[in-house]
Amino acid sequence: MVPHLVTALNGPLLDLEKKILAATPAIERWFRMEWQEHTPPFYCSVDLRNSGYKLAPVDTNLFPGGFSNLSPEMLPLAIQAAMAAIEKYCPDAKNLLLLPELNTRNTFYLQNVARLMQIFRQTGLHVRLGTLDESVKEAQTIELPDGSTITLEPMERSANGRRLGLKNFDPCTILLNNDLSSGTPSILENLNEQNVLPPLHAGWTVRRKSNHFMAYDEVVKKFSKLVDVDPWMLNPFFAKVDQVDFDAADGDDKLAAAVSSLLAKIRKKYKEYGITEKPFVIVKADAGTDGMGVMSVTDVSQIKELSRKQREKLSLGKAGGEIHDLIIQEGVHTFEHINDAVAEPVVYMIDRYVVGGFYRVHAERGINENLNAPGAHFVPLAFAQQHALPDMLAKPGTTAPNRFYMYGVVARLGLLAASLEMEKTDPNPEEY
């Protein structure tokens, strides 16, 4: 399934598709060489935006929570990739402990947990679920909408304090599907005899989006030279604004100045490429997920005229944490629609392999708004097995495999950036 584009792919993006397809062997070799130098995150999802003149990642999630939205046809690919990922860390792995988010009332999220368990069981692992909720003292079984069940169990440290497991269950690997927005629980610290994946510094206690996009800048500069394109075609401009105090009298001034400067930079690029759309920026928390604290801005006056409700929205994140550090990111319009609703592709990867994806679709949002919001629904991407085999003879913009190959390439650039980001923020770099 290729979504309907409001304006046909033309101009810069058609040229980009042409160049990426022509450079396919060089691109795949380049990725292979990069993965010899860097370790990919255990798993990852990348939100892309396709504007017809630009294809860029706008968010990279190291604790992806939408595996149940992937097409069932992609499961064999996910299982193969999971095998490769596990073998890197624990070749003789037998037991895997999976730690999900605390919100057990969100059955959509729990179906993602069930799908993850299914994938890892198919790799030959015994998989059980722990919980970081200390109030859970005995096993708790939850029924899912499809009639299946999952069981959460309280965790316990080993006698020597160096391992974490469940009663009568000693895992060699602990897989986090919890982004640690509320901080790093002490029960996960100093586990010297087990792999914790992703590492603790991938959680939002430490991680910052600005660090990720700085690493992405590096990656995209190298890649753009390889395929001979303007890096801007694949890269949203961004700026970081620290210590914003919305309660202070001049709390908005620093933010307004940064927004004004970034909008001017985008206008210059639009003029260069003859783009007639109205530029916009997205203001969001530098740490955190779930689409909270996100605002679309087309004019600096919107910052100076923030209502109390908007200030509250920008200053409160997941788990009620206060937000003071913001990232301002160039907004990328999405010209993709499914059944007249605005859509954006989200690509999923395990280890260094693309294992599928879906469209995030929102009928009540516009082409310049954040779609990761209540009311969104998901449509699996038809990343049929040939997603890695583009059709070299097709005209640019006319075939699904070519579109999805491009999505996969740009998503893997985000994956590589996450790898660099993790290296640079690792508190124990000598262990990397």
Side-chain angles (χ1 to χ4, degrees), residues 39-42 76-91 119-120 123 125 197 350-353 355:
T39 303
F42 188 82
L77 213 52
I79 291 160
Q80 265 185 318
M83 280 180 179
I86 284 287
E87 277 171 16
K88 270 186 190 169
Y89 296 96
C90 192
I119 289 168
F120 286 102
T123 70
L125 291 168
L197 302 168
I350 297 177
D351 197 62
R352 57 186 176 145
Y353 306 102
V355 298

Side-chain angles (χ1 to χ4, degrees), residues 9 66 103 299 385 422:
L9 275 178
N103 187 359
D299 192 277
Q385 294 294 73
M422 289 297 98

Side-chain angles (χ1 to χ4, degrees), residues 148-397:
S148 64
T149 61
I150 58 171
T151 302
L152 295 171
E153 300 179 66
M155 297 189 294
E156 48 189 52
R157 289 291 279 253
S158 62
N160 68 9
R162 294 180 182 181
R163 299 180 73 85
L164 180 65
L166 308 174
K167 192 175 181 181
N168 303 321
F169 187 74
D170 182 25
C172 98
T173 302
I174 296 161
L175 180 60
L176 294 177
N177 198 242
N178 180 313
D179 62 18
L180 308 181
S181 291
S182 307
T184 305
S186 56
I187 198 167
L188 292 179
E189 291 176 334
N190 304 313
L191 296 173
N192 304 322
E193 297 178 0
Q194 289 163 303
N195 295 301
V196 178
L197 302 168
L200 296 181
H201 68 282
W204 289 118
T205 321
V206 176
R207 192 175 179 228
R208 296 294 176 266
K209 292 172 189 175
S210 50
N211 287 337
H212 175 75
F213 282 99
M214 275 190 265
Y216 186 76
D217 272 349
E218 273 182 56
V219 167
V220 124
K221 275 174 191 161
K222 286 167 76 174
F223 180 80
S224 300
K225 278 185 186 167
L226 178 75
V227 293
D228 186 30
V229 295
D230 179 348
W232 179 75
M233 297 286 175
L234 300 162
N235 195 6
F237 290 140
F238 76 96
K240 182 183 174 185
V241 188
D242 290 337
Q243 297 304 310
V244 175
D245 183 358
F246 288 106
D247 295 328
D250 60 349
D252 307 343
D253 291 353
K254 200 173 9 172
L255 181 58
V259 166
S260 176
S261 169
L262 201 63
L263 281 170
K265 209 172 163 185
I266 300 165
R267 283 189 201 104
K268 199 174 166 189
K269 273 291 182 189
Y270 278 24
K271 195 174 176 186
E272 182 185 335
Y273 285 101
I275 295 160
T276 56
E277 298 303 320
K278 190 168 188 177
F280 71 104
V281 296
I282 295 288
V283 179
K284 56 187 175 182
D286 200 15
T289 52
D290 285 2
M292 297 188 74
V294 177
M295 183 182 177
S296 179
V297 178
T298 54
D299 192 277
V300 74
S301 63
Q302 290 170 261
I303 298 294
K304 295 183 174 175
E305 295 161 11
L306 285 173
S307 66
R308 178 183 288 273
K309 191 176 178 185
Q310 286 170 315
R311 285 166 197 272
E312 280 177 10
K313 188 180 168 191
L314 276 176
S315 61
L316 281 180
K318 189 175 173 184
E322 281 191 19
I323 295 169
H324 294 291
D325 298 341
L326 300 169
I327 181 171
I328 307 162
Q329 195 175 53
E330 173 189 350
V332 182
H333 300 85
T334 179
F335 286 168
E336 300 193 82
H337 280 61
I338 288 179
N339 299 332
D340 298 325
V342 175
E344 66 187 10
V346 183
V347 178
Y348 270 55
M349 290 155 286
I350 297 177
D351 197 62
R352 57 186 176 145
Y353 306 102
V354 172
V355 298
F358 52 83
Y359 285 108
R360 182 183 287 119
V361 186
H362 206 303
E364 291 158 30
R365 293 282 168 122
I367 62 169
N368 65 346
E369 291 183 285
N370 168 43
L371 305 188
N372 187 9
H377 69 277
F378 307 98
V379 177
L381 267 173
F383 259 114
Q385 294 294 73
Q386 76 269 33
H387 80 278
L389 299 172
D391 181 351
M392 301 299 185
L393 301 176
K395 287 181 183 173

Side-chain angles (χ1 to χ4, degrees), residues 57-78:
V58 292
D59 208 7
T60 299
N61 187 354
L62 296 180
F63 301 88
F67 277 93
S68 51
N69 297 323
L70 303 186
S71 153
E73 289 78 19
M74 300 307 292
L75 275 178
L77 213 52

Side-chain angles (χ1 to χ4, degrees), residues 2 9-10 13-19 21-22 390-403 406:
V2 177
L9 275 178
N10 55 28
L13 205 60
L14 277 191
D15 188 45
L16 178 67
E17 184 178 310
K18 217 181 290 182
K19 285 182 171 178
L21 291 177
D391 181 351
M392 301 299 185
L393 301 176
K395 287 181 183 173
T398 62
T399 167
N402 290 0
R403 173 90 63 84
M406 273 220 313

